[in-house]
Amino acid sequence: MTRISEFLGWAQISPEQIAKAVQLSTADSMRKLEAAQSHQWVTTKLSRKEIPFVRSAKSGQWQQSLPSSSVAEIESAWGPVMKLLGYPLRSEMEKVSSSAQKN
């Protein structure tokens, strides 16, 4: 986080502030914040309250949680950026899996 803050030109950020930001960014902290404030946020105030925005907080979980059509739409729109950032695409993993099964 220190390197990121320096890259962004935030050299005045102290190690204590970085530690606090890390602590506030944990899944548990974000769930508590969502429970307390989701009615105020534009993206969640009209959403169903029994379905939390912060869910399992596990990498790639969205691909299992969302319908295949939604995953395909997201990957269609953002696939090149996701690949550039090193994220695996379900569509590519399915192609590899399909090829392996044929061989």
Side-chain angles (χ1 to χ4, degrees):
M1 290 292 290
T2 302
R3 288 178 40 207
I4 292 170
S5 67
E6 289 171 358
F7 175 78
L8 294 172
W10 299 343
Q12 72 279 8
I13 295 185
S14 70
E16 293 80 19
Q17 289 172 307
I18 291 172
K20 184 175 181 175
V22 169
Q23 170 56 33
L24 291 173
S25 299
T26 66
D28 192 43
S29 292
M30 291 190 301
R31 284 187 198 102
K32 289 176 184 174
L33 187 61
E34 178 183 358
Q37 298 181 359
S38 66
H39 64 283
Q40 300 171 4
W41 303 339
V42 172
T43 55
T44 57
K45 71 172 149 184
L46 299 177
S47 66
R48 293 173 50 185
K49 300 306 175 213
E50 76 275 12
I51 302 174
F53 183 79
V54 180
R55 295 184 184 150
S56 67
K58 294 180 181 169
S59 178
Q61 187 63 40
W62 64 276
Q63 293 178 333
Q64 286 76 43
S65 300
L66 294 176
S68 293
S69 60
S70 296
V71 173
E73 191 171 336
I74 290 167
E75 289 184 352
S76 174
W78 296 100
V81 174
M82 294 168 72
K83 284 176 62 174
L84 180 68
L85 295 173
Y87 290 97
L89 301 181
R90 183 197 283 179
S91 57
E92 290 187 352
M93 290 187 298
E94 288 173 352
K95 286 178 191 174
V96 169
S97 176
S98 178
S99 291
Q101 289 176 354
K102 289 179 183 177
N103 294 331

XYZ file of all heavy atoms in Angstrom:
805
model
N 0.814 -1.186 0.000
C 0.000 0.000 0.000
C 0.868 1.263 0.000
O 0.475 2.246 -0.580
C -0.931 -0.002 1.217
C -2.045 -1.046 1.174
S -3.280 -0.741 -0.083
C -4.100 0.668 0.567
N 2.003 1.180 0.650
C 2.897 2.339 0.671
C 3.344 2.686 -0.743
O 3.328 3.855 -1.139
C 4.121 2.059 1.568
O 3.655 1.752 2.880
C 5.043 3.250 1.613
N 3.703 1.650 -1.521
C 4.152 1.893 -2.902
C 3.020 2.482 -3.738
O 3.247 3.352 -4.581
C 4.670 0.597 -3.515
C 6.015 0.184 -2.930
C 6.554 -1.117 -3.462
N 6.362 -1.313 -4.880
C 6.268 -2.489 -5.458
N 6.335 -3.593 -4.740
N 6.100 -2.597 -6.753
N 1.816 2.014 -3.520
C 0.661 2.537 -4.273
C 0.439 4.001 -3.924
O 0.235 4.830 -4.807
C -0.596 1.697 -3.990
C -0.438 0.302 -4.575
C -1.841 2.387 -4.546
C -1.499 -0.682 -4.151
N 0.487 4.336 -2.634
C 0.270 5.727 -2.235
C 1.368 6.629 -2.787
O 1.091 7.754 -3.219
C 0.165 5.861 -0.717
O 1.386 5.562 -0.088
N 2.596 6.131 -2.820
C 3.687 6.920 -3.401
C 3.477 7.106 -4.898
O 3.684 8.194 -5.440
C 5.035 6.251 -3.124
C 5.456 6.341 -1.673
C 6.676 5.486 -1.356
O 7.187 4.778 -2.262
O 7.117 5.522 -0.195
N 3.064 6.036 -5.586
C 2.798 6.113 -7.018
C 1.722 7.155 -7.313
O 1.798 7.895 -8.285
C 2.371 4.752 -7.551
C 1.957 4.767 -8.992
C 2.899 4.798 -10.010
C 0.608 4.768 -9.337
C 2.517 4.833 -11.347
C 0.214 4.793 -10.667
C 1.174 4.829 -11.676
N 0.711 7.213 -6.458
C -0.381 8.164 -6.655
C -0.027 9.579 -6.199
O -0.828 10.493 -6.344
C -1.633 7.680 -5.909
C -2.237 6.392 -6.443
C -3.342 5.899 -5.522
C -2.766 6.584 -7.858
N 1.170 9.747 -5.673
C 1.596 11.072 -5.235
C 1.080 11.431 -3.855
O 0.988 12.599 -3.504
N 0.730 10.424 -3.077
C 0.217 10.657 -1.727
C 1.311 10.401 -0.703
O 1.128 9.656 0.258
C -0.978 9.762 -1.437
C -2.147 9.973 -2.344
C -2.402 11.034 -3.155
C -3.239 9.072 -2.557
N -3.564 10.856 -3.844
C -4.102 9.661 -3.495
C -3.558 7.827 -2.046
C -5.268 9.044 -3.923
C -4.718 7.214 -2.465
C -5.563 7.828 -3.390
N 2.438 11.013 -0.871
C 3.594 10.768 -0.008
C 3.315 11.164 1.439
O 3.962 10.671 2.354
C 4.805 11.525 -0.531
N 2.349 12.032 1.661
C 2.056 12.502 3.014
C 1.252 11.496 3.837
O 0.997 11.716 5.004
C 1.315 13.851 2.971
C -0.129 13.782 2.507
C -0.310 13.726 0.988
O 0.637 13.597 0.233
N -1.542 13.821 0.543
N 0.886 10.364 3.276
C 0.106 9.361 4.001
C 1.040 8.568 4.916
O 2.061 8.049 4.482
C -0.646 8.442 3.026
C -1.671 9.275 2.279
C -1.297 7.286 3.757
C -2.575 8.522 1.374
N 0.637 8.491 6.167
C 1.472 7.814 7.170
C 1.218 6.311 7.170
O 0.174 5.846 6.708
C 1.151 8.374 8.561
O -0.146 7.953 8.960
N 2.152 5.551 7.724
C 1.950 4.100 7.859
C 0.687 3.773 8.680
O 0.004 2.791 8.413
C 3.213 3.616 8.575
C 4.250 4.638 8.225
C 3.501 5.940 8.135
N 0.385 4.611 9.667
C -0.818 4.395 10.476
C -2.083 4.569 9.629
O -3.045 3.807 9.775
C -0.853 5.372 11.669
C 0.232 5.128 12.695
C 1.590 5.700 12.295
O 1.673 6.591 11.411
O 2.598 5.219 12.852
N -2.094 5.562 8.748
C -3.246 5.772 7.873
C -3.410 4.601 6.902
O -4.527 4.176 6.615
C -3.097 7.086 7.097
C -3.256 8.315 7.956
C -2.911 9.581 7.195
O -1.832 9.687 6.615
N -3.825 10.538 7.203
N -2.306 4.093 6.410
C -2.357 2.938 5.505
C -2.895 1.724 6.254
O -3.769 1.005 5.746
C -0.971 2.664 4.886
C -0.619 3.798 3.917
C -0.946 1.304 4.198
C 0.782 3.750 3.382
N -2.410 1.498 7.471
C -2.893 0.365 8.265
C -4.391 0.486 8.531
O -5.127 -0.501 8.463
C -2.116 0.281 9.583
N -4.859 1.693 8.805
C -6.289 1.907 9.052
C -7.094 1.632 7.777
O -8.166 1.009 7.823
C -6.556 3.320 9.545
C -8.016 3.553 9.902
C -8.249 4.907 10.509
C -9.728 5.047 10.866
N -9.990 6.297 11.552
N -6.585 2.073 6.641
C -7.277 1.823 5.363
C -7.370 0.332 5.080
O -8.413 -0.161 4.636
C -6.548 2.541 4.226
N -6.300 -0.395 5.366
C -6.307 -1.850 5.168
C -7.342 -2.488 6.084
O -8.130 -3.333 5.667
C -4.897 -2.445 5.388
C -4.941 -3.957 5.448
C -3.945 -1.969 4.296
N -7.368 -2.085 7.352
C -8.328 -2.634 8.306
C -9.767 -2.337 7.873
O -10.630 -3.206 7.928
C -8.079 -2.067 9.710
C -9.164 -2.398 10.721
C -9.438 -3.885 10.888
O -8.533 -4.699 10.772
N -10.673 -4.238 11.154
N -10.027 -1.125 7.414
C -11.385 -0.751 6.993
C -11.798 -1.439 5.697
O -12.981 -1.460 5.360
C -11.492 0.771 6.847
C -11.410 1.572 8.145
C -11.366 3.066 7.850
C -12.574 1.234 9.075
N -10.835 -2.000 4.980
C -11.117 -2.656 3.705
C -11.346 -4.156 3.840
O -11.580 -4.831 2.835
C -9.964 -2.408 2.727
O -9.820 -1.033 2.496
N -11.296 -4.692 5.038
C -11.555 -6.122 5.192
C -13.015 -6.412 4.860
O -13.884 -5.530 4.974
C -11.258 -6.604 6.630
O -12.187 -5.977 7.522
C -9.822 -6.317 7.040
N -13.285 -7.634 4.456
C -14.655 -8.012 4.111
C -15.591 -7.795 5.290
O -16.715 -7.294 5.126
C -14.696 -9.465 3.645
N -15.153 -8.136 6.487
C -15.997 -7.968 7.670
C -16.336 -6.489 7.900
O -17.488 -6.140 8.168
C -15.313 -8.569 8.902
C -16.241 -8.679 10.088
O -17.408 -9.093 9.895
O -15.817 -8.352 11.213
N -15.329 -5.624 7.773
C -15.568 -4.182 7.948
C -16.511 -3.650 6.881
O -17.399 -2.836 7.181
C -14.254 -3.406 7.894
O -13.450 -3.707 9.008
N -16.334 -4.109 5.638
C -17.212 -3.635 4.559
C -18.643 -4.126 4.756
O -19.599 -3.402 4.457
C -16.657 -4.061 3.206
C -15.370 -3.334 2.849
S -14.812 -3.583 1.148
C -14.606 -5.340 1.070
N -18.816 -5.342 5.280
C -20.171 -5.856 5.563
C -20.851 -5.010 6.637
O -22.037 -4.694 6.535
C -20.108 -7.316 5.995
C -19.869 -8.265 4.860
C -19.983 -9.725 5.327
N -19.347 -10.572 4.361
C -18.146 -11.116 4.489
N -17.438 -10.923 5.578
N -17.645 -11.868 3.536
N -20.111 -4.660 7.689
C -20.665 -3.824 8.754
C -21.053 -2.451 8.215
O -22.114 -1.921 8.544
C -19.664 -3.680 9.900
C -19.482 -4.949 10.703
C -18.416 -4.776 11.766
C -18.173 -6.089 12.493
N -17.038 -5.999 13.431
N -20.200 -1.890 7.386
C -20.485 -0.591 6.787
C -21.715 -0.667 5.883
O -22.581 0.211 5.915
C -19.271 -0.105 5.996
C -19.319 1.305 5.440
C -19.444 2.331 6.556
C -18.083 1.581 4.610
N -21.806 -1.734 5.114
C -22.972 -1.930 4.245
C -24.249 -2.026 5.076
O -25.266 -1.415 4.745
C -22.796 -3.177 3.396
C -23.992 -3.473 2.512
C -23.862 -4.751 1.724
O -22.824 -5.437 1.809
O -24.816 -5.075 1.005
N -24.216 -2.794 6.158
C -25.402 -2.944 7.001
C -25.842 -1.606 7.590
O -27.034 -1.328 7.692
C -25.112 -3.951 8.118
N -24.877 -0.775 7.933
C -25.190 0.509 8.556
C -25.569 1.601 7.559
O -26.374 2.476 7.873
C -23.996 0.976 9.397
N -25.020 1.553 6.336
C -25.170 2.692 5.432
C -25.723 2.381 4.047
O -25.853 3.284 3.225
C -23.812 3.383 5.243
C -23.231 3.949 6.506
C -21.905 4.629 6.251
O -21.391 4.681 5.140
N -21.320 5.166 7.311
N -26.051 1.128 3.747
C -26.447 0.794 2.371
C -27.670 1.568 1.886
O -27.831 1.787 0.694
C -26.685 -0.703 2.220
O -27.799 -1.106 2.993
N -28.510 2.013 2.816
C -29.693 2.794 2.424
C -29.314 4.179 1.893
O -30.124 4.845 1.262
C -30.654 2.924 3.611
C -30.075 3.691 4.763
N -29.149 3.131 5.632
C -30.266 4.959 5.173
C -28.811 4.042 6.536
N -29.469 5.156 6.276
N -28.070 4.603 2.097
C -27.608 5.916 1.648
C -26.876 5.869 0.312
O -26.713 6.894 -0.336
C -26.660 6.528 2.687
C -27.270 6.723 4.048
C -26.224 7.113 5.081
O -25.056 7.302 4.777
N -26.650 7.233 6.327
N -26.391 4.702 -0.087
C -25.543 4.587 -1.260
C -26.384 4.459 -2.520
O -27.338 3.688 -2.583
C -24.619 3.389 -1.159
C -23.735 3.382 0.050
C -23.383 4.447 0.828
C -23.097 2.247 0.624
N -22.562 4.044 1.842
C -22.371 2.699 1.749
C -23.062 0.908 0.311
C -21.620 1.856 2.544
C -22.307 0.058 1.099
C -21.598 0.545 2.202
N -26.012 5.155 -3.551
C -26.747 5.130 -4.814
C -26.841 3.710 -5.377
O -27.899 3.288 -5.832
C -26.072 6.069 -5.850
C -26.692 5.916 -7.215
C -26.144 7.513 -5.377
N -25.756 2.963 -5.313
C -25.743 1.631 -5.929
C -26.498 0.575 -5.136
O -26.841 -0.469 -5.680
C -24.300 1.133 -6.140
O -23.616 1.170 -4.887
C -23.570 1.973 -7.159
N -26.763 0.824 -3.849
C -27.416 -0.210 -3.041
C -28.714 0.226 -2.379
O -29.436 -0.620 -1.853
C -26.469 -0.730 -1.940
O -26.041 0.374 -1.136
C -25.283 -1.461 -2.524
N -29.054 1.497 -2.406
C -30.223 1.921 -1.631
C -31.535 1.346 -2.150
O -32.463 1.169 -1.381
C -30.292 3.435 -1.492
C -30.639 4.225 -2.717
C -30.839 5.675 -2.314
C -30.462 6.620 -3.402
N -30.577 7.998 -2.940
N -31.610 0.996 -3.425
C -32.833 0.412 -3.960
C -32.733 -1.102 -4.131
O -33.629 -1.727 -4.677
C -33.188 1.070 -5.298
C -33.459 2.577 -5.245
C -33.739 3.134 -6.629
C -34.597 2.899 -4.291
N -31.635 -1.684 -3.652
C -31.435 -3.124 -3.804
C -32.142 -3.888 -2.685
O -32.561 -3.315 -1.685
C -29.941 -3.459 -3.802
O -29.390 -3.179 -2.532
N -32.240 -5.183 -2.889
C -32.850 -6.048 -1.876
C -31.892 -6.173 -0.700
O -30.739 -6.556 -0.860
C -33.155 -7.411 -2.480
C -34.238 -7.335 -3.538
C -34.449 -8.624 -4.257
N -34.606 -9.762 -3.336
C -34.715 -11.016 -3.758
N -34.683 -11.297 -5.046
N -34.854 -11.993 -2.890
N -32.364 -5.862 0.480
C -31.501 -5.828 1.671
C -31.095 -7.218 2.140
O -30.097 -7.374 2.838
C -32.189 -5.068 2.806
C -32.527 -3.626 2.447
C -31.320 -2.869 1.955
C -31.703 -1.481 1.481
N -30.904 -1.004 0.397
N -31.852 -8.264 1.775
C -31.480 -9.614 2.207
C -30.386 -10.213 1.331
O -29.859 -11.281 1.624
C -32.716 -10.540 2.246
C -33.204 -11.009 0.891
C -34.152 -10.044 0.176
O -34.285 -8.880 0.590
O -34.745 -10.480 -0.826
N -30.020 -9.526 0.244
C -28.930 -9.971 -0.619
C -27.800 -8.948 -0.490
O -27.855 -7.883 -1.085
C -29.375 -10.093 -2.093
C -30.543 -11.059 -2.201
C -28.208 -10.539 -2.958
C -31.145 -11.133 -3.589
N -26.782 -9.261 0.289
C -25.726 -8.274 0.527
C -24.859 -8.033 -0.712
O -24.676 -8.926 -1.531
C -24.896 -8.903 1.646
C -25.132 -10.361 1.525
C -26.536 -10.518 0.994
N -24.352 -6.826 -0.836
C -23.434 -6.482 -1.913
C -22.084 -7.144 -1.648
O -21.476 -7.717 -2.543
C -23.277 -4.958 -2.004
C -22.403 -4.519 -3.135
C -22.891 -4.471 -4.431
C -21.090 -4.156 -2.909
C -22.081 -4.080 -5.492
C -20.271 -3.760 -3.959
C -20.769 -3.721 -5.249
N -21.589 -7.069 -0.409
C -20.342 -7.725 -0.030
C -20.716 -9.142 0.387
O -21.316 -9.360 1.423
C -19.631 -6.996 1.132
C -18.340 -7.711 1.508
C -19.344 -5.551 0.762
N -20.359 -10.081 -0.428
C -20.750 -11.467 -0.173
C -19.590 -12.249 0.408
O -19.082 -11.927 1.455
C -21.291 -12.083 -1.456
C -22.582 -11.365 -1.869
C -23.239 -11.971 -3.058
N -24.398 -11.147 -3.398
C -24.868 -11.001 -4.600
N -24.318 -11.628 -5.605
N -25.906 -10.232 -4.817
N -19.143 -13.289 -0.267
C -18.114 -14.162 0.310
C -16.729 -13.520 0.314
O -15.850 -13.957 1.041
C -18.055 -15.483 -0.445
O -17.590 -15.281 -1.752
N -16.530 -12.508 -0.517
C -15.238 -11.812 -0.608
C -14.117 -12.765 -0.991
O -13.004 -12.692 -0.483
C -14.920 -11.062 0.685
N -14.423 -13.688 -1.892
C -13.416 -14.620 -2.397
C -13.190 -14.337 -3.878
O -14.135 -14.122 -4.625
C -13.877 -16.065 -2.209
C -13.974 -16.462 -0.753
C -14.425 -17.884 -0.615
C -14.542 -18.231 0.862
N -15.220 -19.501 1.059
N -11.951 -14.374 -4.268
C -11.588 -14.110 -5.646
C -12.304 -15.050 -6.605
O -12.315 -16.267 -6.408
C -10.075 -14.264 -5.810
O -9.698 -14.068 -7.147
N -12.916 -14.484 -7.630
C -13.577 -15.271 -8.661
C -14.961 -15.772 -8.295
O -15.627 -16.399 -9.113
N -15.423 -15.505 -7.086
C -16.718 -15.998 -6.633
C -17.867 -15.495 -7.502
O -18.861 -16.182 -7.686
C -16.948 -15.613 -5.165
C -18.180 -16.227 -4.553
C -18.105 -17.742 -4.497
O -17.059 -18.317 -4.210
N -19.207 -18.417 -4.768
N -17.710 -14.319 -8.063
C -18.782 -13.752 -8.888
C -19.105 -14.665 -10.066
O -20.249 -14.743 -10.503
C -18.397 -12.353 -9.370
C -17.202 -12.322 -10.278
C -15.893 -12.308 -9.919
C -17.220 -12.345 -11.701
N -15.083 -12.302 -11.021
C -15.871 -12.326 -12.144
C -18.229 -12.370 -12.660
C -15.517 -12.338 -13.477
C -17.867 -12.379 -14.000
C -16.532 -12.353 -14.388
N -18.104 -15.374 -10.575
C -18.330 -16.249 -11.726
C -19.224 -17.437 -11.367
O -19.912 -17.964 -12.217
C -17.011 -16.745 -12.310
C -16.197 -15.631 -12.926
C -14.868 -16.110 -13.465
O -14.311 -17.097 -13.003
N -14.356 -15.407 -14.452
N -19.195 -17.854 -10.107
C -20.068 -18.938 -9.669
C -21.426 -18.413 -9.211
O -22.422 -19.117 -9.293
C -19.431 -19.739 -8.521
C -18.302 -20.657 -8.933
C -17.002 -19.921 -9.213
O -16.640 -19.031 -8.475
N -16.317 -20.281 -10.278
N -21.460 -17.184 -8.701
C -22.687 -16.619 -8.141
C -23.646 -16.089 -9.199
O -24.859 -16.174 -9.029
C -22.353 -15.479 -7.169
O -21.561 -15.944 -6.116
N -23.107 -15.531 -10.256
C -23.953 -14.917 -11.286
C -24.392 -15.948 -12.321
O -23.681 -16.918 -12.576
C -23.187 -13.791 -11.990
C -22.833 -12.572 -11.154
C -21.983 -11.602 -11.972
C -24.080 -11.878 -10.651
N -25.530 -15.697 -12.947
C -25.938 -16.569 -14.049
C -24.913 -16.513 -15.183
O -24.245 -15.491 -15.390
C -27.268 -15.965 -14.510
C -27.718 -15.060 -13.425
C -26.488 -14.640 -12.669
N -24.799 -17.605 -15.922
C -23.835 -17.676 -17.026
C -24.017 -16.544 -18.021
O -23.034 -16.018 -18.551
C -23.950 -19.024 -17.744
O -23.541 -20.052 -16.897
N -25.259 -16.151 -18.266
C -25.510 -15.062 -19.215
C -24.923 -13.747 -18.716
O -24.400 -12.953 -19.504
C -27.012 -14.909 -19.476
O -27.705 -14.628 -18.269
N -24.968 -13.505 -17.405
C -24.394 -12.279 -16.836
C -22.873 -12.309 -16.910
O -22.231 -11.304 -17.228
C -24.842 -12.097 -15.390
O -26.231 -11.908 -15.317
N -22.294 -13.470 -16.607
C -20.833 -13.618 -16.699
C -20.382 -13.369 -18.133
O -19.417 -12.644 -18.380
C -20.376 -15.008 -16.212
C -18.895 -15.218 -16.475
C -20.678 -15.183 -14.731
N -21.113 -13.937 -19.091
C -20.765 -13.756 -20.505
C -20.854 -12.290 -20.903
O -19.994 -11.776 -21.631
C -21.682 -14.601 -21.385
N -21.865 -11.600 -20.410
C -22.025 -10.179 -20.733
C -20.890 -9.343 -20.142
O -20.330 -8.471 -20.810
C -23.377 -9.684 -20.214
C -23.750 -8.314 -20.728
C -25.179 -7.928 -20.381
O -26.024 -8.819 -20.163
O -25.438 -6.717 -20.339
N -20.523 -9.620 -18.900
C -19.422 -8.895 -18.248
C -18.118 -9.147 -18.994
O -17.361 -8.217 -19.291
C -19.307 -9.306 -16.766
C -20.499 -8.776 -15.977
C -17.987 -8.815 -16.162
C -20.642 -9.369 -14.592
N -17.862 -10.416 -19.309
C -16.615 -10.746 -20.005
C -16.596 -10.181 -21.418
O -15.538 -9.802 -21.912
C -16.397 -12.251 -20.004
C -16.049 -12.777 -18.624
C -15.720 -14.257 -18.603
O -15.895 -14.949 -19.634
O -15.278 -14.730 -17.537
N -17.744 -10.099 -22.053
C -17.818 -9.516 -23.388
C -17.458 -8.033 -23.343
O -16.730 -7.527 -24.192
C -19.222 -9.706 -23.963
O -19.345 -9.036 -25.183
N -17.963 -7.346 -22.329
C -17.712 -5.907 -22.212
C -16.322 -5.598 -21.670
O -15.674 -4.643 -22.116
C -18.770 -5.270 -21.308
N -15.842 -6.379 -20.705
C -14.620 -6.041 -19.986
C -13.503 -7.068 -20.135
O -12.433 -6.912 -19.537
C -14.940 -5.862 -18.499
C -15.859 -4.717 -18.274
C -17.215 -4.781 -18.058
C -15.533 -3.334 -18.301
N -17.721 -3.516 -17.932
C -16.723 -2.606 -18.081
C -14.347 -2.637 -18.494
C -16.750 -1.221 -18.044
C -14.374 -1.249 -18.453
C -15.565 -0.560 -18.228
N -13.714 -8.110 -20.938
C -12.727 -9.174 -21.081
C -11.318 -8.715 -21.385
O -10.367 -9.149 -20.713
N -11.114 -7.829 -22.368
C -9.741 -7.397 -22.663
C -9.056 -6.720 -21.474
O -7.871 -6.968 -21.221
C -9.923 -6.419 -23.833
C -11.191 -6.870 -24.491
C -12.076 -7.338 -23.374
N -9.786 -5.911 -20.735
C -9.210 -5.244 -19.562
C -8.924 -6.273 -18.471
O -7.876 -6.237 -17.827
C -10.154 -4.141 -19.035
C -9.631 -3.546 -17.733
C -10.337 -3.055 -20.073
N -9.852 -7.207 -18.280
C -9.669 -8.241 -17.274
C -8.431 -9.077 -17.581
O -7.635 -9.379 -16.690
C -10.921 -9.118 -17.187
C -12.144 -8.369 -16.666
S -13.682 -9.272 -16.884
C -13.489 -10.556 -15.667
N -8.246 -9.442 -18.850
C -7.071 -10.219 -19.249
C -5.792 -9.416 -19.023
O -4.791 -9.949 -18.548
C -7.183 -10.637 -20.712
C -8.159 -11.774 -20.929
C -8.343 -12.120 -22.380
C -7.068 -12.583 -23.028
N -7.247 -13.059 -24.401
N -5.827 -8.134 -19.371
C -4.669 -7.262 -19.175
C -4.264 -7.217 -17.697
O -3.078 -7.192 -17.371
C -4.989 -5.842 -19.671
C -3.895 -4.803 -19.536
C -2.739 -5.124 -20.471
C -4.442 -3.415 -19.842
N -5.259 -7.257 -16.807
C -4.996 -7.214 -15.373
C -4.723 -8.588 -14.771
O -4.480 -8.710 -13.581
C -6.177 -6.550 -14.652
C -6.387 -5.071 -14.998
C -7.676 -4.558 -14.381
C -5.198 -4.231 -14.562
N -4.768 -9.636 -15.624
C -4.408 -10.970 -15.167
C -5.554 -11.801 -14.620
O -5.323 -12.833 -13.996
N -6.802 -11.363 -14.826
C -7.939 -12.143 -14.348
C -8.295 -13.235 -15.351
O -8.341 -12.980 -16.548
C -9.160 -11.244 -14.130
C -9.005 -10.308 -12.965
C -8.590 -9.000 -13.154
C -9.264 -10.740 -11.675
C -8.444 -8.135 -12.083
C -9.123 -9.888 -10.599
C -8.715 -8.578 -10.805
O -8.566 -7.731 -9.751
N -8.567 -14.440 -14.861
C -8.988 -15.509 -15.779
C -10.429 -15.287 -16.227
O -11.259 -14.827 -15.453
C -8.871 -16.774 -14.921
C -9.058 -16.290 -13.517
C -8.474 -14.896 -13.483
N -10.690 -15.583 -17.475
C -12.048 -15.464 -18.005
C -12.683 -16.843 -18.040
O -12.055 -17.809 -18.473
C -12.025 -14.861 -19.406
C -11.392 -13.478 -19.543
C -11.469 -13.014 -20.990
C -12.051 -12.480 -18.623
N -13.927 -16.924 -17.602
C -14.615 -18.210 -17.606
C -14.705 -18.748 -19.023
O -14.504 -19.936 -19.252
C -16.014 -18.077 -17.016
C -16.700 -19.457 -16.964
C -18.182 -19.390 -16.780
N -18.541 -19.091 -15.412
C -19.806 -18.965 -15.022
N -20.786 -19.103 -15.892
N -20.099 -18.695 -13.778
N -14.972 -17.871 -19.981
C -15.107 -18.313 -21.370
C -13.824 -18.987 -21.867
O -13.878 -19.982 -22.589
C -15.484 -17.136 -22.273
O -14.523 -16.096 -22.161
N -12.675 -18.485 -21.477
C -11.412 -19.092 -21.889
C -11.134 -20.378 -21.125
O -10.608 -21.330 -21.675
C -10.268 -18.101 -21.718
C -10.331 -16.974 -22.716
C -9.121 -16.075 -22.679
O -8.275 -16.217 -21.773
O -9.029 -15.219 -23.567
N -11.507 -20.413 -19.843
C -11.301 -21.631 -19.051
C -12.180 -22.758 -19.585
O -11.762 -23.909 -19.614
C -11.606 -21.364 -17.577
C -10.568 -20.450 -16.926
S -10.753 -20.251 -15.134
C -12.352 -19.506 -14.989
N -13.390 -22.423 -20.042
C -14.286 -23.435 -20.597
C -13.734 -23.984 -21.911
O -13.829 -25.175 -22.177
C -15.683 -22.851 -20.791
C -16.412 -22.627 -19.477
C -17.726 -21.883 -19.632
O -18.029 -21.385 -20.735
O -18.449 -21.793 -18.633
N -13.104 -23.101 -22.728
C -12.511 -23.550 -23.981
C -11.366 -24.535 -23.715
O -11.249 -25.572 -24.350
C -11.978 -22.368 -24.791
C -13.047 -21.535 -25.442
C -12.423 -20.356 -26.176
C -13.458 -19.355 -26.617
N -12.850 -18.170 -27.194
N -10.520 -24.211 -22.734
C -9.379 -25.056 -22.378
C -9.894 -26.387 -21.845
O -9.417 -27.452 -22.212
C -8.459 -24.361 -21.346
C -7.438 -25.334 -20.777
C -7.784 -23.158 -21.962
N -10.896 -26.341 -20.988
C -11.462 -27.551 -20.413
C -12.093 -28.424 -21.494
O -11.927 -29.641 -21.509
C -12.514 -27.175 -19.360
O -13.129 -28.330 -18.857
N -12.784 -27.792 -22.431
C -13.420 -28.526 -23.525
C -12.382 -29.196 -24.413
O -12.531 -30.346 -24.810
C -14.290 -27.575 -24.347
O -14.865 -28.238 -25.422
N -11.291 -28.489 -24.712
C -10.204 -29.044 -25.533
C -9.547 -30.218 -24.828
O -9.212 -31.229 -25.447
C -9.156 -27.987 -25.835
O -9.665 -27.019 -26.701
N -9.353 -30.113 -23.527
C -8.707 -31.167 -22.757
C -9.573 -32.415 -22.731
O -9.070 -33.543 -22.786
C -8.417 -30.692 -21.336
N -10.887 -32.232 -22.666
C -11.789 -33.373 -22.643
C -11.823 -34.092 -23.981
O -11.994 -35.297 -24.043
C -13.198 -32.933 -22.245
C -13.296 -32.535 -20.799
C -14.678 -32.004 -20.436
O -15.536 -31.838 -21.290
N -14.878 -31.745 -19.156
N -11.624 -33.359 -25.074
C -11.634 -33.965 -26.424
C -10.382 -34.796 -26.649
O -10.395 -35.744 -27.404
C -11.740 -32.879 -27.493
C -13.104 -32.229 -27.539
C -13.147 -31.155 -28.596
C -14.492 -30.450 -28.596
N -14.532 -29.361 -29.565
N -9.278 -34.406 -26.010
C -7.998 -35.110 -26.210
C -7.927 -36.248 -25.299
O -7.887 -37.029 -24.766
C -6.803 -34.169 -25.990
C -6.760 -33.095 -27.040
O -7.214 -33.290 -28.153
N -6.229 -31.945 -26.682
